[in-house]
Amino acid sequence: MNDLSDREEQPERPVEVDGTAYLFKALGKIIKVLREAAGLQQKELAARVHVGEDLVSSIERGVRTPQPDFLENADRALGAGGVLRAAIPEVREALKRARTRHPDWFQDYAKAEAEANAIHDYSYQGIMGLLQTEGHARAVFSKRRPPLDEATIEKRVADRMARQQIFERWPSPTFSFVLDQSLLMRPVGGHAVHHEQLGRLIEIGSLRTVELQVMPFDRGEHAAMGGSFSLLHPKGRQQVAYHEAYARPSLITDAEQVRIFAERYGIIRAQALTPDESLTLIEKTLGER
């Protein structure tokens, strides 16, 4: 699944003005000021709060949501005296409202994804949103037709980056991804953005909670030639499937239909390169760019 919002052609809603985006941008600026006042680099703050440097950078720019645990730890690390802790109730409330920032037709999937104990995805037309870099996501939304206005593009990018915090959840969901090799070759956003995107795939694929595989060209035909799809195990519910065609996203709950998608996914995982072979291929492709 490329990610539904990449190919959706339904009319756009106006950008929601609920203050959420402004809250996260303001928090990001405050964290940056406190960090600089403490004489710390982003990587030093990241080490103190036990997160990646990229996450600190994204939070300071307002494109990733600072989770309550992060604010608690950053408050101590920066000697903020409770300034960041004071924002935790508002952040929790904003997170509850977060799924309503997605287009109406996408909300069922976003809810299932956020609650999932396991996420499995086959991507054929494009890299799914959970694996995209900020630059890749912005390029995708910027090329939409009819065009999106700048405010909507930035909102969609921020929402997509916020969804990726699921990789930081613990206990972690089970993740597996199968990508068609063609996705490694298409320089979405230009070569610099694509170079960063390949690096992101290596980073995600190296996580011990993730198995990432590539379906190479030389496999020829396979069981999922019909297109991208996802399988989700929402907490406390049966497995569901998700696939899309233009303007027709579908969250599938019928047990027999879900079984068919699960069967296809099992077959293509067996046909794809192993995770180690896949990372080697991505690294080789990155070196050639």
Side-chain angles (χ1 to χ4, degrees):
M1 180 181 125
N2 175 13
D3 204 356
L4 309 180
S5 45
D6 289 352
R7 298 201 304 269
E8 172 264 330
E9 293 186 347
Q10 300 177 25
E12 294 292 333
R13 289 193 307 169
V15 176
E16 296 85 354
V17 184
D18 61 1
T20 300
Y22 300 111
L23 168 65
F24 295 146
K25 285 183 179 295
L27 272 174
K29 290 179 179 179
I30 291 170
I31 290 167
K32 182 178 180 180
V33 169
L34 290 170
R35 174 181 60 76
E36 292 177 343
L40 298 177
Q41 299 293 320
Q42 287 180 343
K43 63 181 178 181
E44 293 172 317
L45 175 58
R48 293 191 182 191
V49 297
H50 309 293
V51 300
E53 182 180 351
D54 287 347
L55 177 60
V56 173
S57 174
S58 295
I59 287 173
E60 289 188 354
R61 288 179 287 120
V63 298
R64 294 283 291 275
T65 306
Q67 296 290 313
D69 286 349
F70 176 89
L71 293 173
E72 186 76 39
N73 294 334
D75 195 279
R76 287 195 298 269
L78 296 172
V83 170
L84 298 180
R85 283 199 300 272
I88 290 176
E90 284 73 20
V91 168
R92 286 201 172 108
E93 181 60 30
L95 290 172
K96 289 179 182 178
R97 299 197 308 267
R99 66 174 62 97
T100 66
R101 302 204 312 264
H102 298 293
D104 291 337
W105 56 269
F106 187 61
Q107 289 183 35
D108 285 345
Y109 176 83
K111 182 175 185 294
E113 180 187 84
E115 298 174 350
N117 288 328
I119 298 176
H120 308 291
D121 178 84
Y122 169 60
S123 292
Y124 180 73
Q125 293 95 339
I127 294 171
M128 80 171 300
L130 286 182
L131 302 179
Q132 291 179 9
T133 63
E134 181 182 341
H136 185 110
R138 183 170 286 105
V140 168
F141 288 127
S142 295
K143 289 297 183 181
R144 289 278 299 281
R145 292 296 180 270
L148 303 177
D149 61 76
E150 292 301 319
T152 299
I153 291 172
E154 292 307 309
K155 173 180 170 295
R156 293 288 180 87
V157 171
D159 289 346
R160 181 156 297 178
M161 295 299 101
R163 283 171 51 210
Q164 295 181 7
Q165 291 177 102
I166 194 170
F167 289 114
E168 298 155 21
R169 237 177 62 190
W170 196 262
S172 173
T174 299
F175 298 103
S176 72
F177 305 99
V178 179
L179 289 76
D180 191 84
Q181 187 177 354
S182 62
L183 301 180
L184 308 183
M185 312 302 294
R186 184 175 295 115
V188 173
H191 291 290
V193 170
H194 188 56
H195 190 278
E196 183 183 26
Q197 179 62 68
L198 292 176
R200 176 63 172 167
L201 293 178
I202 293 171
E203 177 186 350
I204 294 295
S206 299
L207 297 174
R208 64 188 178 92
T209 55
V210 174
E211 292 191 2
L212 186 148
Q213 296 175 258
V214 174
M215 178 65 76
F217 292 135
D218 62 12
R219 291 297 190 266
E221 67 280 356
H222 56 76
M225 299 291 286
S228 306
F229 65 90
S230 293
L231 290 163
L232 305 176
H233 279 280
K235 184 177 181 181
R237 294 163 53 193
Q238 296 297 312
Q239 187 178 46
V240 298
Y242 209 115
H243 80 103
E244 59 171 305
Y246 285 104
R248 294 183 181 275
S250 299
L251 184 65
I252 300 165
T253 58
D254 179 77
E256 177 59 18
Q257 292 187 56
V258 173
R259 183 196 65 79
I260 292 171
F261 278 99
E263 183 177 272
R264 290 174 185 167
Y265 192 69
I267 292 171
I268 64 173
R269 287 198 70 186
Q271 291 178 297
L273 298 176
T274 68
D276 286 344
E277 292 170 339
S278 298
L279 288 179
T280 298
L281 177 59
I282 297 171
E283 289 167 353
K284 179 176 182 293
T285 305
L286 180 60
E288 293 172 349
R289 293 282 149 176

